[in-house]
Each structure stands twice: as C-alpha cells, then as structure tokens.
Amino acid sequence: MYEPIRTKSVHTMAAAPEIPHRSREQELDIRLAGQLTALLTVTDELHALATRTAGGADQESGPDAGLDRAALASAAERIAEQVARLSGGHYPLRAEPTDGGTPARIAALQQRAHTLAGNALAVATTRDDAAARELAAERMAAHAAPHRDLATA
C-alpha cells in the first residue's frame, strides 16, 4: 500500500565524527590569545609612536602623551610570550606600525589598548589564568592613566 522510505530522514541527528570539536578551555585559549594579539598590535603601534615623537628622550614622549618606550617594549615582549604560551609555542606575527602620531591618534590608541586589556582580563578571569590576568590588569591600569584627567574634569 505505501512504499517504504529509501532515504534517510532529515530529522535524524547523525553524528559526524569528522568534525573536530573543541573543549571550552580550548575555545577560551583561542579567544584569550586573540585578545592579547590585538593588544600586542596596539602596544607595538604606541611604542613606534613613542619612538618617533621622543626625539631621543628615554622616558616621556611629550607632556600629554605619557608614553614610556621602555615600558611599552617590555610589555610587548611579555604579551608576545603569553600569546606563544597559549598558542602552543607559536609567537604571533607582528605588524609593521603605521605612520602618523598626532595626539588624538595617541589618545585613541591608548583607549583602544585599555579596552583590549579589559577584554583580555575578562577572558583570563573566566579561564582562571593567573599570569594572563595579572598582565592584562597591569596593561589596563597603564592605559587608563591618561584617561583619569578626562574623567575628573
């Protein structure tokens, strides 16, 4: 009376063993490495701007910029080490910084670095990674300093 169904039903859930699935920890590692890599890019950009605008000075690049070249270089190396640790020993590719160093650009990069450090801090806290959490909190505080004057004005 009725012809039997010859094809598989679209409503059955077929397990696909060929699709790789990641654990929550692996996903958090990938996300944290991505946030830190973005922070590394902005840190490299700030370091390049500090080097260009310093005019030979070792510490400050200007009265309002608040860019310490040595601290930015050290932070960039520590961020790269954390990314390498999270990425199985692969150091991140580092982009060549762009030209231009207006005070508005420096302020925008400082704000972007503060936001990225906050994102990394949130992921590191979720992941329960003490080293990354400490580094992200330190970078967040370092990039928050120029914005304190604007908040109290």
Side-chain angles (χ1 to χ4, degrees):
M1 192 157 155
Y2 293 107
E3 189 172 333
I5 298 173
R6 294 187 184 138
T7 59
K8 295 210 179 232
S9 171
V10 294
H11 301 290
T12 36
M13 297 293 291
E18 67 275 357
I19 298 174
H21 296 284
R22 294 187 207 112
S23 67
R24 184 171 192 272
E25 291 77 22
Q26 290 170 325
E27 290 291 338
L28 287 173
D29 284 352
I30 292 167
R31 187 168 171 204
L32 181 57
Q35 292 293 335
L36 289 174
T37 301
L39 179 59
L40 176 63
T41 301
V42 175
T43 303
D44 283 342
E45 187 83 18
L46 284 168
H47 181 261
L49 289 173
T51 302
R52 280 188 211 117
T53 59
D58 281 339
Q59 294 295 321
E60 297 294 321
S61 64
D64 296 324
L67 298 177
D68 182 354
R69 294 185 315 177
L72 287 169
S74 172
E77 288 306 314
R78 291 182 22 236
I79 293 169
E81 288 171 3
Q82 287 296 320
V83 172
R85 180 181 61 87
L86 292 166
S87 302
H90 301 289
Y91 275 80
L93 296 176
R94 295 173 82 167
E96 185 68 29
T98 59
D99 290 333
T102 64
R105 178 157 168 70
I106 292 172
L109 285 172
Q110 288 276 22
Q111 184 175 5
R112 179 74 177 141
H114 182 263
T115 302
L116 289 168
N119 291 344
L121 179 62
V123 177
T125 301
T126 302
R127 190 181 172 276
D128 199 25
D129 186 340
R133 185 173 51 229
E134 180 182 328
L135 178 61
E138 175 190 314
R139 296 317 308 153
M140 193 172 172
H143 294 296
H147 301 293
R148 287 191 194 131
D149 296 334
L150 297 174
T152 58

